[in-house]
Amino acid sequence: MPEYQIVVCGSVVPDPLQTLEPVAGPTGPALKNEMMLPAWLDPWAGHALYEAANLAAKNPGSKVWLVALGPKAKLQQSMMTLAQKVPFELIALDGSASGFTDAAETAAALAEAIQAIPGLDRSKLLVFGGWESASRGAGATMQIVGEILGITDQFQGVDGIEADGSLRILERIEGGRHQVSVCDAPPALLGWATGNLPEPRNNPQVGMANMRAIMPALQKAKPAKIGAEGVTFQSVSLPKQARDTKVVKDVPPDQIAAEIVDWITNK
Amino acid sequence: METILFLSPTESGSPLSKSALEALATTKQLADSLGTTFSVGLWGDAPKADDIASCGADKFYAVTGAEFSQPRYATDAAAAEALCRAAGATIVVGPSGSRWNRIQAGVAHRLGGRADSHVTGLSVSDGSPAIARWYYRQRMEGILTRAQRPWVLAVESGIAPAWQGAPGTAAVEAVACTPPAARSNVTGIEALTADQQTIRPDADLLFVTGAGWTKKQPDGQVKTEEAQKLILAFLGLSRASLGSTKSLVDLSGEGQATLTFLTHMNQVGQTGSTPRHAKGLSTCCHGEEPHTVGWRFIGERRAISLDANCGWARGKADVLYVADAFAVMEKVNDLLAKKAGG
Ligand SMILES: Cc1cc2nc3c(=O)[nH]c(=O)nc-3n(C[C@H](O)[C@H](O)[C@H](O)COP(=O)(O)OP(=O)(O)OC[C@H]3O[C@@H](n4cnc5c(N)ncnc54)[C@H](O)[C@@H]3O)c2cc1C
């Protein structure tokens, strides 16, 4: 049975239920009260982590690392829940996880941290991440990480992997379809979409085992200076608000249906 | 002065896709606004430029070879890199889509440049190109310029009309590119049959279903089967594309008795897609305000909900019908069936 070394890149984003408002910060745009907003593991990176843990569990001898670049305090907050989910070793980098930073700068820091993992074996290496973040939403970081690491078997929008030495990978393509690829062997890089696994239940034992290593990892988190050199934002604004919604009430279904059919069939 | 390159993969025996022709139109517009010209780079097993010979490009480049037919990172990135270098491009514009999006940032890295994806607008500001794109999952729009070159862009579909013009004979310069040894192969496509496939990017209408379809109704009954029938019948009659809220999709994932044809790919919103359609009709959705970003790129919007304060409607839709979606959609289907029959 093959063994895998799975390195997952994932960071934190503001809770999507919060109101987000752009403000001008000292080095470019930022979010209003950014440090006060509760943080979550970026959803697609979360799927990548759960898929990694699942693959590792099915292939004994495999191991999962989570390389996370974000403000240390926010990483610590999110680890409290995340640590309970699946076993992993954290490598923390202390720097900005803002959506307004440049993917190239984030990728360089992540790749450097991956290259520094002791005992990393390319013939077992799978680099996972979300196919896009919920902050920058660019789908760029993982590609650049792969390039720096010299991995040119890259897959994006991944919804499934079967691994028995070779890798059978499903990627989302246009029109709700999946492209199937077979990659001979690691190393490979996979940017995950939703995958197939539900969010794992909290497991206090896993939490305790994880936390023993997570706290020291957070303490020695290296500072990473991440910005957006060369980028000038002319504006960042919320969309023009509020359509003037006509509310139709107490009208029989027949009449509503007729109106809707008229509307959808008129080009 | 910028050197602009329109870049696109091609598919064996097919003309350029609609999104590629839209990106071509965007490129041409940018070149015109900057008072300069542009070139075209294509790759694939037999890329043909004759269809776009009259687009105004001053040069056509192509990387050709059977190895370049697969939508695969290693070979696509090598071809795109070679084309950018041959053209000496400082600005590269490609069409958003799985194939270009997979490699775009990697190619920028190889060229020592930078990438921006999901570009929703290109303009010229003080003589320099500026792009618009959205941040935090379509919650806010930024307009930015960049100092780095090459600047490699993926422009979204639907932001410009597709380029149209007479075919002709394009003088294509072959660009040499040694395909890298491939360790991966595309072995096929998994797709539902046309009738089972509910995601239809070219549809005029996006039909959004919410968890309300599976909730206890005012008469105390859960009517999931009826919901399933009504929704499928509507999709069959209207040929709409089906979107769903996260709640409803998650219910399917948890194996609850629910709408069996929904997958995560149908999900729209924060952690789903934000498709572009001319019209959108949401049914039985509530959703907190931030999640209605599934609506962001929908033109005309209407909603049916029992709840007059439905988050998908107030201030977000043009019309909110406060009504029972089961009753309304049954009648809608009757009317559509009649229209189809006569
Ligand atoms: C990390 C994270 C990410 C998220 N991402 C997304 C996302 O991508 N997309 C998304 O949509 N949400 C997302 N959510 C939000 C979330 O799941 C919402 O709670 C959900 O979208 C709301 O579900 P709903 O609109 O389907 O239904 P509900 O909130 O359950 O509302 C159902 C509505 O249906 C109405 N109804 C019931 N029966 C009828 C009837 N017969 N006729 C008419 N109306 C009826 C009810 O009045 C009610 O208003 C996310 C949340 C989190 C925490």
Side-chain angles (χ1 to χ4, degrees), chain A residues 16 18 132 135 143 147 153 174 178 185 229 234 243 263 266-267, chain B residues 73 98 101 118 136 139 143 148 183-184 204 270 279 300 315:
Chain A
Q18 298 288 322
E132 285 184 355
S135 47
Q143 289 177 39
E147 282 291 325
D153 290 278
E174 286 67 25
H178 282 119
E229 210 192 305
Q234 297 182 336
R243 293 193 179 205
W263 172 63
N266 276 341
K267 293 269 169 184
Chain B
Y73 187 93
S98 57
N101 287 2
H118 301 302
Y136 291 94
R139 299 274 285 275
I143 296 179
Q148 295 99 342
R183 299 169 61 250
S184 294
D204 282 335
Q270 284 266 88
K279 295 172 189 175
E300 299 170 28

PDB file of all heavy atoms in Angstrom, chain A residues 16 18 132 135 143 147 153 174 178 185 229 234 243 263 266-267, chain B residues 73 98 101 118 136 139 143 148 183-184 204 270 279 300 315:
ATOM      1  N   PRO A  16     -18.312  34.021   6.931  1.00  0.00           N
ATOM      2  CA  PRO A  16     -19.071  34.590   5.805  1.00  0.00           C
ATOM      3  C   PRO A  16     -20.395  35.243   6.211  1.00  0.00           C
ATOM      4  O   PRO A  16     -20.986  35.959   5.416  1.00  0.00           O
ATOM      5  CB  PRO A  16     -19.318  33.381   4.903  1.00  0.00           C
ATOM      6  CG  PRO A  16     -19.012  32.173   5.710  1.00  0.00           C
ATOM      7  CD  PRO A  16     -18.094  32.591   6.808  1.00  0.00           C
ATOM      8  N   GLN A  18     -20.619  37.503   8.452  1.00  0.00           N
ATOM      9  CA  GLN A  18     -20.370  38.863   8.920  1.00  0.00           C
ATOM     10  C   GLN A  18     -20.548  39.855   7.772  1.00  0.00           C
ATOM     11  O   GLN A  18     -20.356  39.521   6.611  1.00  0.00           O
ATOM     12  CB  GLN A  18     -18.926  38.975   9.420  1.00  0.00           C
ATOM     13  CG  GLN A  18     -18.619  38.074  10.582  1.00  0.00           C
ATOM     14  CD  GLN A  18     -19.282  38.543  11.852  1.00  0.00           C
ATOM     15  OE1 GLN A  18     -19.358  39.730  12.112  1.00  0.00           O
ATOM     16  NE2 GLN A  18     -19.778  37.601  12.637  1.00  0.00           N
ATOM     17  N   GLU A 132      -9.743  27.857  -4.814  1.00  0.00           N
ATOM     18  CA  GLU A 132      -9.787  29.312  -4.702  1.00  0.00           C
ATOM     19  C   GLU A 132      -9.986  29.622  -3.235  1.00  0.00           C
ATOM     20  O   GLU A 132     -10.559  28.814  -2.508  1.00  0.00           O
ATOM     21  CB  GLU A 132     -10.980  29.893  -5.474  1.00  0.00           C
ATOM     22  CG  GLU A 132     -10.777  29.892  -6.960  1.00  0.00           C
ATOM     23  CD  GLU A 132     -11.905  30.556  -7.733  1.00  0.00           C
ATOM     24  OE1 GLU A 132     -12.922  30.949  -7.107  1.00  0.00           O
ATOM     25  OE2 GLU A 132     -11.764  30.670  -8.948  1.00  0.00           O
ATOM     26  N   SER A 135     -11.282  34.669   0.086  1.00  0.00           N
ATOM     27  CA  SER A 135     -10.874  36.057   0.284  1.00  0.00           C
ATOM     28  C   SER A 135     -10.473  36.682  -1.056  1.00  0.00           C
ATOM     29  O   SER A 135     -11.161  37.533  -1.586  1.00  0.00           O
ATOM     30  CB  SER A 135      -9.725  36.126   1.287  1.00  0.00           C
ATOM     31  OG  SER A 135      -8.737  35.162   0.962  1.00  0.00           O
ATOM     32  N   GLN A 143      -1.200  27.239  -7.798  1.00  0.00           N
ATOM     33  CA  GLN A 143      -0.435  27.052  -9.047  1.00  0.00           C
ATOM     34  C   GLN A 143       1.000  27.517  -8.871  1.00  0.00           C
ATOM     35  O   GLN A 143       1.943  26.865  -9.326  1.00  0.00           O
ATOM     36  CB  GLN A 143      -1.061  27.876 -10.179  1.00  0.00           C
ATOM     37  CG  GLN A 143      -2.377  27.360 -10.679  1.00  0.00           C
ATOM     38  CD  GLN A 143      -2.960  28.285 -11.743  1.00  0.00           C
ATOM     39  OE1 GLN A 143      -2.255  28.821 -12.589  1.00  0.00           O
ATOM     40  NE2 GLN A 143      -4.265  28.473 -11.702  1.00  0.00           N
ATOM     41  N   GLU A 147       4.573  25.571  -9.045  1.00  0.00           N
ATOM     42  CA  GLU A 147       5.683  25.978  -9.918  1.00  0.00           C
ATOM     43  C   GLU A 147       6.985  26.097  -9.126  1.00  0.00           C
ATOM     44  O   GLU A 147       8.032  25.644  -9.580  1.00  0.00           O
ATOM     45  CB  GLU A 147       5.367  27.321 -10.604  1.00  0.00           C
ATOM     46  CG  GLU A 147       4.401  27.205 -11.779  1.00  0.00           C
ATOM     47  CD  GLU A 147       5.013  26.488 -12.977  1.00  0.00           C
ATOM     48  OE1 GLU A 147       6.213  26.638 -13.228  1.00  0.00           O
ATOM     49  OE2 GLU A 147       4.259  25.763 -13.667  1.00  0.00           O
ATOM     50  N   ASP A 153       2.293  18.478 -12.386  1.00  0.00           N
ATOM     51  CA  ASP A 153       1.045  17.712 -12.462  1.00  0.00           C
ATOM     52  C   ASP A 153       0.099  18.386 -11.486  1.00  0.00           C
ATOM     53  O   ASP A 153       0.115  18.120 -10.289  1.00  0.00           O
ATOM     54  CB  ASP A 153       1.305  16.244 -12.149  1.00  0.00           C
ATOM     55  CG  ASP A 153       2.085  15.598 -13.279  1.00  0.00           C
ATOM     56  OD1 ASP A 153       1.457  15.215 -14.275  1.00  0.00           O
ATOM     57  OD2 ASP A 153       3.335  15.572 -13.199  1.00  0.00           O
ATOM     58  N   GLU A 174     -16.484  22.871 -17.314  1.00  0.00           N
ATOM     59  CA  GLU A 174     -17.695  23.600 -17.662  1.00  0.00           C
ATOM     60  C   GLU A 174     -18.924  22.693 -17.730  1.00  0.00           C
ATOM     61  O   GLU A 174     -18.817  21.509 -18.038  1.00  0.00           O
ATOM     62  CB  GLU A 174     -17.524  24.285 -19.030  1.00  0.00           C
ATOM     63  CG  GLU A 174     -16.614  25.503 -19.022  1.00  0.00           C
ATOM     64  CD  GLU A 174     -15.161  25.186 -18.735  1.00  0.00           C
ATOM     65  OE1 GLU A 174     -14.734  24.058 -18.998  1.00  0.00           O
ATOM     66  OE2 GLU A 174     -14.471  26.091 -18.208  1.00  0.00           O
ATOM     67  N   HIS A 178     -17.206  16.576 -14.985  1.00  0.00           N
ATOM     68  CA  HIS A 178     -15.892  16.316 -14.396  1.00  0.00           C
ATOM     69  C   HIS A 178     -14.949  15.762 -15.453  1.00  0.00           C
ATOM     70  O   HIS A 178     -15.316  14.858 -16.203  1.00  0.00           O
ATOM     71  CB  HIS A 178     -16.007  15.277 -13.264  1.00  0.00           C
ATOM     72  CG  HIS A 178     -16.533  15.858 -11.987  1.00  0.00           C
ATOM     73  ND1 HIS A 178     -17.701  15.449 -11.394  1.00  0.00           N
ATOM     74  CD2 HIS A 178     -16.027  16.811 -11.178  1.00  0.00           C
ATOM     75  CE1 HIS A 178     -17.899  16.137 -10.281  1.00  0.00           C
ATOM     76  NE2 HIS A 178     -16.896  16.972 -10.126  1.00  0.00           N
ATOM     77  N   ALA A 185       2.096   9.019 -10.676  1.00  0.00           N
ATOM     78  CA  ALA A 185       2.567   8.917  -9.292  1.00  0.00           C
ATOM     79  C   ALA A 185       2.779  10.315  -8.736  1.00  0.00           C
ATOM     80  O   ALA A 185       2.859  11.277  -9.509  1.00  0.00           O
ATOM     81  CB  ALA A 185       3.906   8.163  -9.277  1.00  0.00           C
ATOM     82  N   GLU A 229       2.889  44.161  -3.545  1.00  0.00           N
ATOM     83  CA  GLU A 229       3.829  45.078  -4.177  1.00  0.00           C
ATOM     84  C   GLU A 229       3.478  45.255  -5.648  1.00  0.00           C
ATOM     85  O   GLU A 229       3.169  44.273  -6.331  1.00  0.00           O
ATOM     86  CB  GLU A 229       5.232  44.490  -4.052  1.00  0.00           C
ATOM     87  CG  GLU A 229       6.307  45.546  -3.988  1.00  0.00           C
ATOM     88  CD  GLU A 229       7.679  44.923  -4.171  1.00  0.00           C
ATOM     89  OE1 GLU A 229       8.004  44.004  -3.408  1.00  0.00           O
ATOM     90  OE2 GLU A 229       8.379  45.359  -5.111  1.00  0.00           O
ATOM     91  N   GLN A 234      -7.317  51.433  -7.210  1.00  0.00           N
ATOM     92  CA  GLN A 234      -7.935  52.749  -7.408  1.00  0.00           C
ATOM     93  C   GLN A 234      -9.181  52.879  -6.562  1.00  0.00           C
ATOM     94  O   GLN A 234      -9.543  53.961  -6.129  1.00  0.00           O
ATOM     95  CB  GLN A 234      -8.286  52.931  -8.877  1.00  0.00           C
ATOM     96  CG  GLN A 234      -7.031  52.905  -9.742  1.00  0.00           C
ATOM     97  CD  GLN A 234      -7.325  53.133 -11.192  1.00  0.00           C
ATOM     98  OE1 GLN A 234      -8.439  52.886 -11.655  1.00  0.00           O
ATOM     99  NE2 GLN A 234      -6.338  53.592 -11.927  1.00  0.00           N
ATOM    100  N   ARG A 243     -32.149  46.905  -4.863  1.00  0.00           N
ATOM    101  CA  ARG A 243     -33.108  47.050  -5.954  1.00  0.00           C
ATOM    102  C   ARG A 243     -34.428  47.469  -5.322  1.00  0.00           C
ATOM    103  O   ARG A 243     -34.678  47.188  -4.150  1.00  0.00           O
ATOM    104  CB  ARG A 243     -33.296  45.722  -6.674  1.00  0.00           C
ATOM    105  CG  ARG A 243     -32.044  45.318  -7.394  1.00  0.00           C
ATOM    106  CD  ARG A 243     -32.284  44.189  -8.350  1.00  0.00           C
ATOM    107  NE  ARG A 243     -31.010  43.880  -9.016  1.00  0.00           N
ATOM    108  CZ  ARG A 243     -30.901  43.319 -10.203  1.00  0.00           C
ATOM    109  NH1 ARG A 243     -31.977  42.966 -10.881  1.00  0.00           N
ATOM    110  NH2 ARG A 243     -29.729  43.081 -10.727  1.00  0.00           N
ATOM    111  N   TRP A 263     -42.822  36.418 -18.192  1.00  0.00           N
ATOM    112  CA  TRP A 263     -41.478  36.981 -17.954  1.00  0.00           C
ATOM    113  C   TRP A 263     -40.384  36.050 -18.476  1.00  0.00           C
ATOM    114  O   TRP A 263     -39.459  36.504 -19.136  1.00  0.00           O
ATOM    115  CB  TRP A 263     -41.331  37.248 -16.457  1.00  0.00           C
ATOM    116  CG  TRP A 263     -39.961  37.646 -16.020  1.00  0.00           C
ATOM    117  CD1 TRP A 263     -39.275  38.768 -16.395  1.00  0.00           C
ATOM    118  CD2 TRP A 263     -39.114  36.926 -15.126  1.00  0.00           C
ATOM    119  NE1 TRP A 263     -38.057  38.791 -15.782  1.00  0.00           N
ATOM    120  CE2 TRP A 263     -37.923  37.681 -14.992  1.00  0.00           C
ATOM    121  CE3 TRP A 263     -39.237  35.739 -14.404  1.00  0.00           C
ATOM    122  CZ2 TRP A 263     -36.871  37.271 -14.190  1.00  0.00           C
ATOM    123  CZ3 TRP A 263     -38.196  35.333 -13.596  1.00  0.00           C
ATOM    124  CH2 TRP A 263     -37.027  36.085 -13.492  1.00  0.00           C
ATOM    125  N   ASN A 266     -40.483  35.776 -22.474  1.00  0.00           N
ATOM    126  CA  ASN A 266     -40.171  36.978 -23.257  1.00  0.00           C
ATOM    127  C   ASN A 266     -38.687  37.233 -23.245  1.00  0.00           C
ATOM    128  O   ASN A 266     -38.117  37.459 -22.197  1.00  0.00           O
ATOM    129  CB  ASN A 266     -40.878  38.203 -22.653  1.00  0.00           C
ATOM    130  CG  ASN A 266     -42.283  38.302 -23.162  1.00  0.00           C
ATOM    131  OD1 ASN A 266     -42.627  37.715 -24.182  1.00  0.00           O
ATOM    132  ND2 ASN A 266     -43.109  39.024 -22.425  1.00  0.00           N
ATOM    133  N   LYS A 267     -38.084  37.236 -24.397  1.00  0.00           N
ATOM    134  CA  LYS A 267     -36.620  37.432 -24.470  1.00  0.00           C
ATOM    135  C   LYS A 267     -36.285  38.882 -24.167  1.00  0.00           C
ATOM    136  O   LYS A 267     -36.950  39.786 -24.581  1.00  0.00           O
ATOM    137  CB  LYS A 267     -36.112  37.078 -25.870  1.00  0.00           C
ATOM    138  CG  LYS A 267     -36.254  35.619 -26.175  1.00  0.00           C
ATOM    139  CD  LYS A 267     -35.006  34.854 -25.779  1.00  0.00           C
ATOM    140  CE  LYS A 267     -35.266  33.367 -25.831  1.00  0.00           C
ATOM    141  NZ  LYS A 267     -34.241  32.530 -25.415  1.00  0.00           N
TER     142      LYS A 267
ATOM    143  N   TYR B  73      -2.189  20.383 -17.274  1.00  0.00           N
ATOM    144  CA  TYR B  73      -1.330  21.477 -16.834  1.00  0.00           C
ATOM    145  C   TYR B  73       0.012  21.499 -17.561  1.00  0.00           C
ATOM    146  O   TYR B  73       0.406  22.531 -18.111  1.00  0.00           O
ATOM    147  CB  TYR B  73      -1.104  21.393 -15.309  1.00  0.00           C
ATOM    148  CG  TYR B  73      -0.362  22.592 -14.765  1.00  0.00           C
ATOM    149  CD1 TYR B  73      -1.057  23.693 -14.265  1.00  0.00           C
ATOM    150  CD2 TYR B  73       1.025  22.654 -14.780  1.00  0.00           C
ATOM    151  CE1 TYR B  73      -0.394  24.814 -13.792  1.00  0.00           C
ATOM    152  CE2 TYR B  73       1.706  23.777 -14.314  1.00  0.00           C
ATOM    153  CZ  TYR B  73       0.996  24.848 -13.812  1.00  0.00           C
ATOM    154  OH  TYR B  73       1.660  25.955 -13.346  1.00  0.00           O
ATOM    155  N   SER B  98     -12.061  26.390 -17.348  1.00  0.00           N
ATOM    156  CA  SER B  98     -11.227  25.481 -16.564  1.00  0.00           C
ATOM    157  C   SER B  98      -9.810  25.370 -17.138  1.00  0.00           C
ATOM    158  O   SER B  98      -8.841  25.277 -16.395  1.00  0.00           O
ATOM    159  CB  SER B  98     -11.882  24.108 -16.483  1.00  0.00           C
ATOM    160  OG  SER B  98     -12.118  23.598 -17.773  1.00  0.00           O
ATOM    161  N   ASN B 101      -7.838  28.835 -16.629  1.00  0.00           N
ATOM    162  CA  ASN B 101      -7.739  29.117 -15.189  1.00  0.00           C
ATOM    163  C   ASN B 101      -6.766  28.160 -14.493  1.00  0.00           C
ATOM    164  O   ASN B 101      -6.140  28.523 -13.512  1.00  0.00           O
ATOM    165  CB  ASN B 101      -9.107  29.004 -14.516  1.00  0.00           C
ATOM    166  CG  ASN B 101     -10.017  30.177 -14.854  1.00  0.00           C
ATOM    167  OD1 ASN B 101      -9.641  31.045 -15.624  1.00  0.00           O
ATOM    168  ND2 ASN B 101     -11.206  30.194 -14.296  1.00  0.00           N
ATOM    169  N   HIS B 118     -10.563  36.070 -12.944  1.00  0.00           N
ATOM    170  CA  HIS B 118     -11.945  36.523 -12.743  1.00  0.00           C
ATOM    171  C   HIS B 118     -12.076  38.027 -12.984  1.00  0.00           C
ATOM    172  O   HIS B 118     -12.716  38.743 -12.209  1.00  0.00           O
ATOM    173  CB  HIS B 118     -12.443  36.161 -11.342  1.00  0.00           C
ATOM    174  CG  HIS B 118     -12.413  34.686 -11.077  1.00  0.00           C
ATOM    175  ND1 HIS B 118     -13.094  33.787 -11.863  1.00  0.00           N
ATOM    176  CD2 HIS B 118     -11.789  33.959 -10.141  1.00  0.00           C
ATOM    177  CE1 HIS B 118     -12.877  32.563 -11.421  1.00  0.00           C
ATOM    178  NE2 HIS B 118     -12.087  32.638 -10.372  1.00  0.00           N
ATOM    179  N   TYR B 136     -13.537  38.724  -1.721  1.00  0.00           N
ATOM    180  CA  TYR B 136     -14.375  38.114  -0.690  1.00  0.00           C
ATOM    181  C   TYR B 136     -15.651  37.534  -1.298  1.00  0.00           C
ATOM    182  O   TYR B 136     -16.754  37.916  -0.935  1.00  0.00           O
ATOM    183  CB  TYR B 136     -14.643  39.107   0.451  1.00  0.00           C
ATOM    184  CG  TYR B 136     -13.378  39.364   1.227  1.00  0.00           C
ATOM    185  CD1 TYR B 136     -12.565  40.453   0.921  1.00  0.00           C
ATOM    186  CD2 TYR B 136     -12.950  38.482   2.211  1.00  0.00           C
ATOM    187  CE1 TYR B 136     -11.359  40.655   1.584  1.00  0.00           C
ATOM    188  CE2 TYR B 136     -11.751  38.682   2.877  1.00  0.00           C
ATOM    189  CZ  TYR B 136     -10.960  39.763   2.558  1.00  0.00           C
ATOM    190  OH  TYR B 136      -9.769  39.948   3.216  1.00  0.00           O
ATOM    191  N   ARG B 139     -18.213  39.935  -2.838  1.00  0.00           N
ATOM    192  CA  ARG B 139     -18.835  40.871  -1.896  1.00  0.00           C
ATOM    193  C   ARG B 139     -18.449  42.312  -2.201  1.00  0.00           C
ATOM    194  O   ARG B 139     -19.182  43.232  -1.863  1.00  0.00           O
ATOM    195  CB  ARG B 139     -18.420  40.510  -0.464  1.00  0.00           C
ATOM    196  CG  ARG B 139     -18.840  39.111  -0.027  1.00  0.00           C
ATOM    197  CD  ARG B 139     -20.242  39.089   0.517  1.00  0.00           C
ATOM    198  NE  ARG B 139     -20.339  39.662   1.842  1.00  0.00           N
ATOM    199  CZ  ARG B 139     -20.106  38.995   2.969  1.00  0.00           C
ATOM    200  NH1 ARG B 139     -19.758  37.726   2.941  1.00  0.00           N
ATOM    201  NH2 ARG B 139     -20.251  39.576   4.137  1.00  0.00           N
ATOM    202  N   ILE B 143     -10.863  47.950  -8.245  1.00  0.00           N
ATOM    203  CA  ILE B 143     -10.295  48.340  -9.539  1.00  0.00           C
ATOM    204  C   ILE B 143      -8.815  48.618  -9.295  1.00  0.00           C
ATOM    205  O   ILE B 143      -8.460  49.354  -8.364  1.00  0.00           O
ATOM    206  CB  ILE B 143     -11.015  49.575 -10.101  1.00  0.00           C
ATOM    207  CG1 ILE B 143     -12.474  49.184 -10.366  1.00  0.00           C
ATOM    208  CG2 ILE B 143     -10.338  50.074 -11.389  1.00  0.00           C
ATOM    209  CD1 ILE B 143     -13.351  50.263 -10.894  1.00  0.00           C
ATOM    210  N   GLN B 148       3.881  45.296 -12.395  1.00  0.00           N
ATOM    211  CA  GLN B 148       4.625  44.162 -12.963  1.00  0.00           C
ATOM    212  C   GLN B 148       4.151  43.798 -14.374  1.00  0.00           C
ATOM    213  O   GLN B 148       2.968  43.915 -14.673  1.00  0.00           O
ATOM    214  CB  GLN B 148       4.462  42.908 -12.090  1.00  0.00           C
ATOM    215  CG  GLN B 148       5.063  43.029 -10.710  1.00  0.00           C
ATOM    216  CD  GLN B 148       4.012  43.361  -9.662  1.00  0.00           C
ATOM    217  OE1 GLN B 148       2.916  43.826  -9.999  1.00  0.00           O
ATOM    218  NE2 GLN B 148       4.343  43.131  -8.409  1.00  0.00           N
ATOM    219  N   ARG B 183       3.317  12.989 -17.276  1.00  0.00           N
ATOM    220  CA  ARG B 183       3.080  11.951 -16.267  1.00  0.00           C
ATOM    221  C   ARG B 183       1.592  11.812 -16.003  1.00  0.00           C
ATOM    222  O   ARG B 183       1.171  10.974 -15.230  1.00  0.00           O
ATOM    223  CB  ARG B 183       3.819  12.309 -14.980  1.00  0.00           C
ATOM    224  CG  ARG B 183       5.346  12.413 -15.139  1.00  0.00           C
ATOM    225  CD  ARG B 183       5.985  13.025 -13.907  1.00  0.00           C
ATOM    226  NE  ARG B 183       5.746  12.226 -12.730  1.00  0.00           N
ATOM    227  CZ  ARG B 183       4.961  12.580 -11.718  1.00  0.00           C
ATOM    228  NH1 ARG B 183       4.319  13.717 -11.750  1.00  0.00           N
ATOM    229  NH2 ARG B 183       4.810  11.791 -10.687  1.00  0.00           N
ATOM    230  N   SER B 184       0.797  12.703 -16.611  1.00  0.00           N
ATOM    231  CA  SER B 184      -0.654  12.649 -16.410  1.00  0.00           C
ATOM    232  C   SER B 184      -1.339  12.564 -17.755  1.00  0.00           C
ATOM    233  O   SER B 184      -0.853  13.123 -18.735  1.00  0.00           O
ATOM    234  CB  SER B 184      -1.150  13.915 -15.709  1.00  0.00           C
ATOM    235  OG  SER B 184      -0.653  13.981 -14.413  1.00  0.00           O
ATOM    236  N   ASP B 204     -30.985  30.972 -20.410  1.00  0.00           N
ATOM    237  CA  ASP B 204     -31.342  32.361 -20.093  1.00  0.00           C
ATOM    238  C   ASP B 204     -31.659  32.508 -18.613  1.00  0.00           C
ATOM    239  O   ASP B 204     -31.448  33.551 -18.013  1.00  0.00           O
ATOM    240  CB  ASP B 204     -32.599  32.777 -20.884  1.00  0.00           C
ATOM    241  CG  ASP B 204     -32.243  33.105 -22.324  1.00  0.00           C
ATOM    242  OD1 ASP B 204     -31.069  33.464 -22.549  1.00  0.00           O
ATOM    243  OD2 ASP B 204     -33.121  32.978 -23.196  1.00  0.00           O
ATOM    244  N   GLN B 270     -21.747  32.128  -1.663  1.00  0.00           N
ATOM    245  CA  GLN B 270     -20.421  32.322  -1.064  1.00  0.00           C
ATOM    246  C   GLN B 270     -19.443  31.205  -1.347  1.00  0.00           C
ATOM    247  O   GLN B 270     -18.312  31.438  -1.675  1.00  0.00           O
ATOM    248  CB  GLN B 270     -20.573  32.329   0.451  1.00  0.00           C
ATOM    249  CG  GLN B 270     -21.114  33.531   1.005  1.00  0.00           C
ATOM    250  CD  GLN B 270     -20.035  34.483   1.430  1.00  0.00           C
ATOM    251  OE1 GLN B 270     -19.571  35.293   0.648  1.00  0.00           O
ATOM    252  NE2 GLN B 270     -19.646  34.414   2.667  1.00  0.00           N
ATOM    253  N   LYS B 279     -31.670  36.030 -16.466  1.00  0.00           N
ATOM    254  CA  LYS B 279     -32.749  36.089 -15.479  1.00  0.00           C
ATOM    255  C   LYS B 279     -32.525  35.062 -14.390  1.00  0.00           C
ATOM    256  O   LYS B 279     -31.878  34.032 -14.625  1.00  0.00           O
ATOM    257  CB  LYS B 279     -34.097  35.805 -16.159  1.00  0.00           C
ATOM    258  CG  LYS B 279     -34.498  36.847 -17.169  1.00  0.00           C
ATOM    259  CD  LYS B 279     -35.729  36.422 -17.963  1.00  0.00           C
ATOM    260  CE  LYS B 279     -35.958  37.403 -19.110  1.00  0.00           C
ATOM    261  NZ  LYS B 279     -37.052  36.988 -19.983  1.00  0.00           N
ATOM    262  N   GLU B 300     -32.146  40.163 -14.480  1.00  0.00           N
ATOM    263  CA  GLU B 300     -33.450  40.368 -13.830  1.00  0.00           C
ATOM    264  C   GLU B 300     -33.687  39.271 -12.813  1.00  0.00           C
ATOM    265  O   GLU B 300     -33.430  38.107 -13.102  1.00  0.00           O
ATOM    266  CB  GLU B 300     -34.560  40.323 -14.885  1.00  0.00           C
ATOM    267  CG  GLU B 300     -34.432  41.401 -15.939  1.00  0.00           C
ATOM    268  CD  GLU B 300     -35.419  41.169 -17.091  1.00  0.00           C
ATOM    269  OE1 GLU B 300     -36.486  40.567 -16.851  1.00  0.00           O
ATOM    270  OE2 GLU B 300     -35.095  41.581 -18.212  1.00  0.00           O
ATOM    271  N   GLY B 315     -34.735  44.100  -1.680  1.00  0.00           N
ATOM    272  CA  GLY B 315     -33.587  44.897  -2.102  1.00  0.00           C
ATOM    273  C   GLY B 315     -32.665  44.159  -3.064  1.00  0.00           C
ATOM    274  O   GLY B 315     -31.713  44.725  -3.570  1.00  0.00           O
TER     275      GLY B 315
END
